[in-house]
Amino acid sequence: MKENICSIPINDVFWPKDGCPMCRMRDMLEQRKAEYVTGAAMMEPNVRVKTNEQGFCYRHFAMMVQQGKRLSNALILESHLQQISETLVPPEPKAKPDKKRMAALEALLNDCFICRDIKENMENMVRIVHAMWLSEPEFRQLYHEQPYICLEHFYLLMTVDQKGLGKQLQAFYEETSKLTGGYVITLKNEVSHFCRMFDYRSAGMSWGNSRNAIERAVEFLTGDKLPVQDLPEDFEEETSE
Ligand SMILES: [Zn+2]
Ligand SMILES: [Zn+2]
């Protein structure tokens, strides 16, 4: 089964106007791929050849174990471990550490079958977003109304296939910079306000939007949500450090 990334409806992903739309896209791709690897891909020997070689990062192993069948995960691990044993870490080497083998091991430690796939698909998504922004006024408006684009996806939107934007490159850069750069200032001000709230002179002041400024700043910088925590209550209940 070859997945069709065009089946991700870009308009639907941008419609909620809640957080970074490209992160939402990434989450969808990630979810689908993790399901696919422990599902339909079990019947695809060529996928196993790749997963044996590339392995998975912690994040994606965790997703696969959480949503895939136990047996599927075990079968994937069985042949992956087998391959590591045969090619990278022989149990009884009779020589000095092999440079090539160590380099291959380093590559494996930084590799992930799902991360690779997401990278490739997100680059294709960027090309589609560029094309829609160029040709569809409604989408251009929808793009304009996004709360922000996170740092990683700002980078992706600005660097993947710039040529595709042609003469509109500068306009797209200006528009996207408003979304990302504007949000950086908003976040910075909210984090500053958060810090100020720990000053005794701020007694009785409102937290405004700053209560979850840490969580939102981390999400903007990493594309990942922090676990939900208790947010600060009224000033009186806070102790300054
Ligand atoms: Zn993002
Ligand atoms: Zn990964």
Side-chain angles (χ1 to χ4, degrees):
M1 184 191 96
K2 185 85 186 150
E3 288 167 299
N4 182 8
I5 61 151
C6 297
S7 63
I8 299 246
I10 306 256
N11 270 306
D12 291 358
V13 173
F14 276 72
W15 198 246
K17 300 175 198 168
D18 175 23
C20 171
M22 303 300 284
C23 282
R24 204 151 38 240
M25 210 176 269
R26 189 259 338 265
D27 291 347
M28 278 169 107
L29 290 169
E30 198 169 47
Q31 195 71 28
R32 286 184 185 190
K33 202 69 192 182
E35 275 169 25
Y36 168 72
V37 169
T38 52
M42 298 303 290
M43 314 301 274
E44 303 261 352
N46 56 337
V47 172
R48 186 73 66 82
V49 170
K50 284 190 194 167
T51 64
N52 286 344
E53 198 181 295
Q54 298 165 10
F56 300 91
C57 67
Y58 171 81
R59 175 188 176 91
H60 292 133
F61 262 135
M63 279 189 171
M64 287 157 56
V65 171
Q66 207 173 33
Q67 48 187 246
K69 290 203 174 74
R70 304 292 288 174
L71 177 60
S72 304
N73 278 291
L75 289 168
I76 290 167
L77 286 165
E78 181 188 33
S79 54
H80 183 43
L81 290 169
Q82 174 75 26
Q83 176 144 338
I84 291 174
S85 168
E86 283 169 8
T87 62
L88 298 174
V89 197
E92 291 173 3
K94 301 268 186 292
K96 284 191 253 176
D98 183 310
K99 270 190 189 157
K100 258 194 192 158
R101 235 177 228 163
M102 290 303 152
L105 183 54
E106 186 187 12
L108 171 66
L109 289 168
N110 292 303
D111 209 348
C112 167
F113 176 74
I114 296 181
C115 282
R116 273 195 197 207
D117 184 83
I118 289 171
K119 185 172 182 290
E120 204 176 291
N121 275 321
M122 283 303 284
E123 288 176 3
N124 286 328
M125 288 294 183
V126 164
R127 291 185 187 99
I128 299 174
V129 168
H130 285 170
M132 286 174 72
W133 189 85
L134 285 175
S135 65
E136 296 176 25
E138 296 86 4
F139 180 74
R140 201 180 272 228
Q141 181 60 27
L142 188 57
Y143 190 87
H144 177 75
E145 289 166 4
Q146 295 305 305
Y148 68 87
I149 303 281
C150 79
L151 204 54
E152 179 188 338
H153 293 134
F154 172 79
Y155 173 77
L156 217 57
L157 284 161
M158 295 329 315
T159 53
V160 172
D161 217 355
Q162 282 189 345
K163 279 195 195 124
L165 288 158
K167 289 192 177 125
Q168 293 288 310
L169 174 62
Q170 187 179 335
F172 185 72
Y173 178 52
E174 286 173 8
E175 175 75 348
T176 310
S177 296
K178 271 183 209 143
L179 292 173
T180 301
Y183 192 62
V184 172
I185 292 180
T186 305
L187 272 177
K188 195 271 152 190
N189 288 340
E190 285 169 1
V191 169
S192 294
H193 186 78
F194 186 98
C195 297
R196 258 199 315 279
M197 290 300 281
F198 287 82
D199 186 322
Y200 69 95
R201 282 165 295 190
S202 302
M205 267 175 67
S206 161
W207 283 91
N209 289 326
S210 75
R211 270 178 217 279
N212 62 352
I214 293 174
E215 283 74 11
R216 282 184 294 118
V218 171
E219 188 177 347
F220 169 79
L221 292 167
T222 67
D224 251 328
K225 284 186 166 56
L226 283 173
V228 180
Q229 296 182 27
D230 286 343
L231 296 176
E233 302 279 335
D234 294 335
F235 183 81
E236 286 73 24
E237 289 165 39
E238 283 293 317
T239 48
S240 61
E241 286 165 42

